Amino acid sequence: MKGIVLAGGSGTRLHPMTLAASKQLLPVYDKPMVYYPLSTLMLAGIRDILLISTPEDLPQFRRLLGSGARFGVRFDYAEQPKPEGIAQAFLIGRDWIGGDACALALGDNLIHGDHLSATLRIAASRPVGATVFAYEVRDPERYGVVSFDADGRAVDIVEKPAVPASNWAVTGLYFYDARVSEIAGTIRPSARGELEITDLNRVYLEAHTLRVEKLSRGCAWLDAGTPDSLLQAATFVQTIQSRTGMLVGCPEEVAFRMGFIDAETLRQHAAGLGKTELGRVLGELAVGEHD
């Protein structure tokens, strides 16, 4: 399976911060925002990753991420000249996907929880259909909302409903089979002129091949697209890391734990981070493997 990180858009909800830099390059505590969805795809075992962003911002992403070799993955890059909906990612990346199954992670989403890697790898291994993740929220009208029948089966998904049928929002992480680009090509723009990811998901739902996994209370999902949610995400990461000693959204650590890089490579990366706390933690992790 391949993976896409969608890091486009103008980030208007974060103006004036995003007048000079891409939203997905803003810091979430001690790491750039894009590190978090990138780490999520890597936790699913995905090593071929396409990053999509604006023509203006792509050079900065290339400078930050490079070829992906230091994470044991391969990055490719593609332009989104104009934001025309999340499902547009599968049209932009159609040739790159090349008929493979593909996951998509939104560049401003953070997911963290116990046993997350195993859950994601199961989703990535399903040969047919799509898997999305739902999270219970207080303001479902901001999201795509999924409703369930009495047996817990998903029966409908509505984008930003005025009167939500449930409090379960679809998160910005999606896994699709090899038909995704073909299906995305059949989606027509919505009233707001966008190729809605909800419409793509509904095609799978109507074919009875959409699996909706509810994220448990042991998981946290944060959409860092507003000043308040950006601060909340940073506070969450700082709290988890300082109280537990565990890293959140760190591609170097994920690469090491997934076996994409070895301890010596991790040690070199840690040294390159200098006297930062992140460098110290990664250095201790690398040294621990040598003991």
Side-chain angles (χ1 to χ4, degrees):
M1 172 172 275
K2 295 179 176 179
I4 295 175
V5 176
L6 183 58
S10 55
T12 55
R13 293 183 299 167
L14 284 167
H15 280 181
M17 290 182 285
T18 48
L19 291 175
S22 166
K23 170 177 64 174
Q24 292 85 4
L25 292 173
L26 296 178
V28 176
Y29 185 50
D30 58 350
K31 294 175 286 294
M33 188 186 295
V34 72
Y35 271 26
Y36 297 89
L38 169 60
S39 295
T40 300
L41 292 180
M42 292 170 62
L43 282 171
I46 295 171
R47 302 182 70 170
D48 286 324
I49 298 171
L50 177 68
L51 187 135
I52 298 176
S53 189
T54 66
E56 296 78 17
D57 292 325
L58 269 182
Q60 284 71 40
F61 284 105
R62 289 181 184 273
R63 180 182 177 189
L64 174 67
L65 300 172
S67 67
R70 77 175 189 270
F71 302 139
V73 303
R74 185 183 71 187
F75 291 133
D76 289 294
Y77 299 87
E79 294 183 358
Q80 184 185 38
K82 182 180 178 182
E84 296 179 331
I86 295 171
Q88 184 189 23
F90 295 107
L91 302 184
I92 294 171
R94 185 197 300 265
D95 291 341
W96 178 85
I97 294 169
D100 290 327
C102 190
L104 172 65
L106 300 188
D108 60 359
N109 274 221
L110 184 160
I111 298 177
H112 176 75
D114 296 334
H115 313 297
L116 182 60
S117 181
T119 300
L120 299 179
R121 280 181 282 177
I122 290 172
S125 69
R126 294 188 178 114
V128 177
T131 301
V132 300
F133 297 87
Y135 190 82
E136 199 165 18
V137 298
R138 295 180 179 178
D139 51 352
E141 64 279 358
R142 291 181 53 206
Y143 307 100
V145 175
V146 58
S147 52
F148 301 89
D149 64 18
D151 297 319
R153 290 188 296 265
V155 293
D156 197 15
I157 300 178
V158 180
E159 183 67 21
K160 295 181 174 64
V163 182
S166 81
N167 288 333
W168 289 95
V170 178
T171 70
L173 178 64
Y174 318 88
F175 290 80
Y176 298 104
D177 62 18
R179 299 174 297 157
V180 61
S181 290
E182 176 186 348
I183 294 173
T186 69
I187 302 299
R188 303 273 70 85
S190 65
R192 59 178 186 163
E194 295 193 359
L195 299 177
E196 306 286 358
I197 197 71
T198 293
D199 290 338
L200 177 61
N201 291 333
R202 190 177 290 113
V203 172
Y204 282 96
L205 177 66
E206 292 174 355
H208 306 289
T209 57
L210 179 70
R211 188 180 184 96
V212 181
E213 300 275 6
K214 291 182 177 179
L215 291 176
S216 68
R217 292 185 178 274
C219 288
W221 170 55
L222 298 98
D223 171 358
T226 67
D228 283 347
S229 60
L230 180 62
L231 177 61
Q232 291 167 2
T235 301
F236 173 82
V237 173
Q238 191 272 341
T239 300
I240 294 294
Q241 292 189 170
S242 64
R243 298 289 179 88
T244 69
M246 298 170 55
L247 293 175
V248 180
C250 180
E252 293 94 344
E253 183 208 22
V254 174
F256 176 66
R257 296 195 183 281
M258 294 293 292
F260 298 171
I261 61 174
D262 59 20
E264 176 56 24
T265 303
L266 180 63
R267 187 196 65 76
Q268 293 173 8
H269 294 329
L273 291 171
K275 296 182 179 180
T276 63
E277 179 66 9
L278 183 58
R280 182 191 67 79
V281 174
L282 290 176
E284 290 182 353
L285 179 60
V287 169
E289 290 300 309
H290 285 303
D291 292 344

